[in-house]
Amino acid sequence: MLHGTPVDLAAMLAAREARALRQWDLLARFHAPLLSYTLNIPGPVKTSAAIRRAFDIGLGALAAALAQRNIPCIAREERHEATGDEAILALRAAPEEIKAVAVNLEETHPLGRLFDMDVLNAAGEKIARRTPRRCLLCGRQAQDCARSRRHSVAQLQEAVARLLRTGCAPPPPA
């Protein structure tokens, strides 16, 4: 069980709509691809101290990966609400290159399964993954498990809690 303030579906839908409006505003101002970063957190609690730490770790890893590829960030907006933590970055690079960085983090970082990094091209079209995401619990295609409700919210929350405990743990003393 994740501890924090529960939010309802209406609040989540309103947050998604507000994020889309911010994305369109950034696209209109910068005419550049965007990376929209949130976390995949099942259930009604979308943020807490541990979830925020995971978000910040992911944002740091993203910044480092973009810097390593010499991809400049020209604008960044962050929000931390009960509906979840989110960041939108306008970037100067080909959207496919940005998506490759995002997918690499989602697939290789210890907390990457929680990362949700969507990339939009300068026209606002979402860049699709080449390979589908895997389920947090069973390794099948995540969309199939979600659509069929193969796993309970409680099972998914426990898997997220385990990831948070291991992925956000402080490093051992040197």
Side-chain angles (χ1 to χ4, degrees):
M1 177 64 81
L2 299 173
H3 299 286
T5 303
V7 294
D8 62 15
L9 180 60
M12 289 305 300
L13 293 174
R16 183 179 297 166
E17 181 67 24
R19 183 169 48 253
L21 291 173
R22 284 193 300 281
Q23 290 169 348
W24 283 109
D25 177 60
L26 286 168
L27 287 167
R29 285 192 290 149
F30 296 101
H31 307 285
L34 301 180
L35 188 149
S36 182
Y37 167 52
T38 59
L39 295 181
N40 289 312
I41 306 294
V45 173
K46 300 300 182 186
T47 195
S48 66
I51 294 169
R52 173 66 189 271
R53 178 148 166 67
F55 176 85
D56 289 342
I57 289 168
L59 198 54
L62 175 61
L66 293 170
Q68 185 176 22
R69 298 281 287 265
N70 294 315
I71 298 176
C73 180
I74 55 176
R76 176 172 141 176
E77 288 189 7
E78 252 183 90
R79 294 260 196 286
H80 304 284
E81 308 287 340
T83 52
D85 303 294
E86 56 187 62
I88 305 171
L89 290 71
L91 302 165
R92 286 273 182 240
E96 296 77 15
E97 183 180 7
I98 298 165
K99 187 64 177 182
V101 169
V103 169
N104 184 58
L105 283 172
E106 289 174 343
E107 293 181 355
T108 64
H109 192 280
L111 290 167
R113 188 54 195 85
L114 300 181
F115 302 163
D116 187 6
M117 297 183 180
D118 292 333
V119 176
L120 305 175
N121 66 19
E125 300 161 331
K126 190 173 175 181
I127 306 301
R129 290 172 131 280
R130 290 190 179 147
T131 57
R133 291 201 75 162
R134 297 279 143 216
C135 175
L136 190 58
L137 291 171
C138 70
R140 291 184 177 120
Q141 191 172 335
Q143 288 175 325
D144 290 344
C145 287
R147 196 175 308 117
S148 68
R149 298 183 187 226
R150 185 170 282 126
H151 313 291
S152 71
V153 171
Q155 290 172 309
L156 293 166
Q157 287 174 320
E158 182 50 41
V160 168
R162 275 194 307 276
L163 268 175
L164 292 171
R165 281 193 300 275
T166 59
C168 293

